[in-house]
Amino acid sequence: DTGVSQNPRHKITKRGQNVTFRCDPISEHNRLYWYRQTLGQGPEFLTYFQNEAQLEKSRLLSDRFSAERPKGSFSTLEIQRTEQGDSAMYLCASSIQNTGELFFGEGSRLTVL
Amino acid sequence: GQNIDQPTEMTATEGAIVQINCTYQTSGFNGLFWYQQHAGEAPTFLSYNVLDGLEEKGRFSSFLSRSKGYSYLLLKELQMKDSASYLCAVRPNYGQNFVFGPGTRLSVLP
């Protein structure tokens, strides 16, 4: 399978715990995006990378969220001290620089109890 | 600021034609995209407009008017499998992130 891969697919955690999600993009794609989506809403932008550089981060994103893409390949999204409001589907997408089409992974669903 | 509006829900009959509208107000414009998202699945790309006019791809067409900040997605010969959410997204500037609308949930009835 050469699509975008995300894991874990589901994560249930208690409030206050830290969680980390991983995204493996399509191998030749140099852009990687993280979005968050709640039921009945469109994806909300969190951050994006071009190669290993984090070029933009949403102003709505609290300091509890951090993302890395250390070698310009896979990326991780960490949420510290989770809150119930963090419960959502976290979507990763990748693209080739000069095209607009985003290829999404299946998402990582987070439930904070 | 960035704002994208779409109707929340639409219903249509199998075999019919449906038009899903999208209006946007963004700080810049470098392309409008439509994605389809079935329940519980990831969004998949449908179409892209950067110039005014109509782009046709099989049963799906997308229209753009930049001066009006308006786009629509036209679905012809509706099939049951077209029941999904349709997301309108704008890229305000080349190289920037994509801003998604809330999505329109389309139900196709027999």
Side-chain angles (χ1 to χ4, degrees):
Chain A
D1 184 10
T2 58
V4 178
S5 175
Q6 293 187 246
N7 65 81
R9 294 291 308 280
H10 303 275
K11 179 71 176 179
I12 300 174
T13 191
K14 293 183 179 179
R15 189 177 55 188
Q17 298 295 305
N18 299 344
V19 296
T20 299
F21 300 117
R22 175 179 169 126
C23 172
D24 288 88
I26 295 172
S27 58
E28 62 268 26
H29 288 188
N30 59 352
R31 291 219 166 139
L32 186 148
Y33 302 76
W34 285 100
Y35 285 86
R36 174 171 64 189
Q37 187 175 30
T38 54
L39 197 62
Q41 300 298 314
E44 175 192 17
F45 171 74
L46 296 178
T47 188
Y48 95 95
F49 294 83
Q50 180 169 312
N51 300 313
E52 66 275 10
Q54 187 173 21
L55 296 189
E56 190 174 348
K57 185 175 176 180
S58 170
R59 277 169 272 176
L60 302 175
L61 208 59
S62 81
D63 292 341
R64 297 184 297 105
F65 288 71
S66 62
E68 293 183 343
R69 194 182 183 197
K71 297 182 180 179
S73 56
F74 73 92
S75 175
T76 57
L77 176 69
E78 181 183 17
I79 309 173
Q80 296 181 324
R81 305 181 302 283
T82 52
E83 301 173 357
Q84 288 183 324
D86 297 332
S87 295
M89 177 72 83
Y90 289 84
L91 293 167
C92 175
S94 68
S95 73
I96 296 175
Q97 181 167 346
N98 293 323
T99 73
E101 181 180 350
L102 294 177
F103 293 81
F104 283 88
E106 294 294 324
S108 293
R109 180 172 296 284
L110 173 65
T111 302
V112 181
L113 301 176
Chain B
Q2 325 280 26
N3 188 50
I4 300 177
D5 284 318
Q6 304 177 235
T8 304
E9 289 189 43
M10 298 183 72
T11 302
T13 305
E14 194 174 14
I17 299 173
V18 71
Q19 178 175 310
I20 302 174
N21 295 326
C22 170
T23 58
Y24 63 90
Q25 293 175 306
T26 54
S27 56
F29 182 83
N30 197 259
L32 187 140
F33 302 79
W34 285 95
Y35 285 81
Q36 180 189 60
Q37 186 176 27
H38 285 99
E41 297 183 11
T44 55
F45 172 79
L46 287 178
S47 70
Y48 163 61
N49 296 70
V50 67
L51 299 176
D52 290 352
L54 189 69
E55 293 284 339
E56 297 188 73
K57 280 175 82 172
R59 293 189 300 115
F60 293 5
S61 304
S62 57
F63 171 83
L64 174 67
S65 170
R66 289 172 296 171
S67 62
K68 295 182 180 178
Y70 168 70
S71 173
Y72 68 73
L73 180 69
L74 193 71
L75 291 75
K76 303 175 187 174
E77 302 168 16
L78 281 173
Q79 302 175 10
M80 300 296 288
K81 67 178 182 179
D82 297 329
S83 292
S85 285
Y86 291 86
L87 301 164
C88 173
V90 173
R91 183 170 57 183
N93 287 294
Y94 179 79
Q96 284 192 342
N97 77 86
F98 298 77
V99 181
F100 281 83
T104 298
R105 188 164 65 246
L106 174 66
S107 298
V108 179
L109 305 178

